[in-house]
Amino acid sequence: MTDIIVYGRGKTGLALANLAKKLGLPPVFYDDEKGFDCNEKFSHGSVVVKSPGVKPFAKGIVEAQKAGAKIVGELDFCFPLCRGKCVSVTGTNGKTTVCEMIRHILSREGKSNFLLGNGGIPFAQHVLDVKEDDTVVLESSSFQLEGANKFSPYISVLTNVAPDHLDYHGTFKNYCKAKTNNFRLQREKDFSIFNADDNGALQMSFESPAYTLYYSTKNPNANCYYGNGEVCLNVRGKVVNYRCAFNMTEYNLSNAMCAVLVCFLLGVGVEDSCRHLQTYSFLPHRNTVVERFDGVTFVDDSKATNVHATLSALKCYANTPVALIVGGFDKGENFDRLFDGVSPNVKVVCAVGQTAEKIFNCGKKHFCNVKICKDYRQAVKLCYRAMLPTGGTVLMSNACASFDSFENYARRGEYFCRIVGELHREKI
């Protein structure tokens, strides 16, 4: 009988299998479609290492539990093997940007680090390469945190909490419970960092057993605050005030303050972190201006895969007319929250993809000008025409995942950019 059953054959599943081999634990693969890759079955002695994409109520998980097998997630399998300091960043939105900012600062400071986790390089792929002096910047999704019972990072971060991935977790309560695993088992000597401007994160902060710190762009009493062109840090009696101008939206200023606070705990001065953030380049498909012509600005925010992210993007364009493109793969979100937050400056909402009809019905209930479009090309042209009389912004911020039509949000964003480019060439 094998020592390890790896459930899931994706990128992380393969990394977990390779790690098991290095540890001298011969693995076999299982997935719901193909079953086992050899003569095997779940039994009381089985150890099932679950890839994050496998839902907690998947067919094989239920079978394994009935057979008495031990279910282990990616984080629980990898974390005990990690020799360096682990900074784990989670949240509904912003975690990728915060991780990238932290890594940028550490790298500019010459501090050895690994950026691993959700959507990038699997934790399992490099965990054995990590040395004691290294820092692992780990982007931890709710999928990875689900069922984590041995995970205790040196620094945990929670950026914000809003309903997301309900198709995976079943309920918002289960989703929040998974997020608490980012800090639930931390010790008093560890640090947990929360966004003081997000009510969900603020409420969950009271559950942390670690030394708790807060960042904010609204509350001057937070441990790391940005306001009136000044970063104000106050941690354990250490007070730093540093004047610094950032060319960022308020949303990303919040992410920047989080990164500054994390890096301060890792030994980087506030002044140095701020200086390094001046050279930080944002990743594509995150509220990115694509083109400007005829008084219309086209913005690619394909990374907005939930309602919370789309509402955050809309705040950046509160003073200009907006034509909004939304829709995609249905993760079980309620779109009432979207239309509750849509301001009068949003002149039209174009719904596309699997959720188009659901969004249309919800929008009409809220007396919003919402239209169903057969594809993105039609949506872009309709939004462009709507903005021509006054000028304004065509914002693709989907509030949904991309998997109904695209491999990932990046492919969706690239397609949007291509359509906008073609439209511009038609006008030339």
Side-chain angles (χ1 to χ4, degrees), residues 156 183-184 186 191-192 194 204-212:
S156 71
F183 53 82
R184 179 174 59 88
Q186 284 185 288
F191 297 93
S192 56
F194 297 89
M204 288 171 67
S205 72
F206 301 120
E207 301 178 46
S208 171
Y211 190 88
T212 304

Side-chain angles (χ1 to χ4, degrees), residues 254-276:
S254 177
N255 291 331
M257 291 308 98
C258 181
V260 168
L261 185 51
V262 169
C263 290
F264 178 80
L265 298 176
L266 295 172
V268 182
V270 173
E271 299 90 340
D272 291 327
S273 288
C274 292
R275 180 166 46 84
H276 296 318

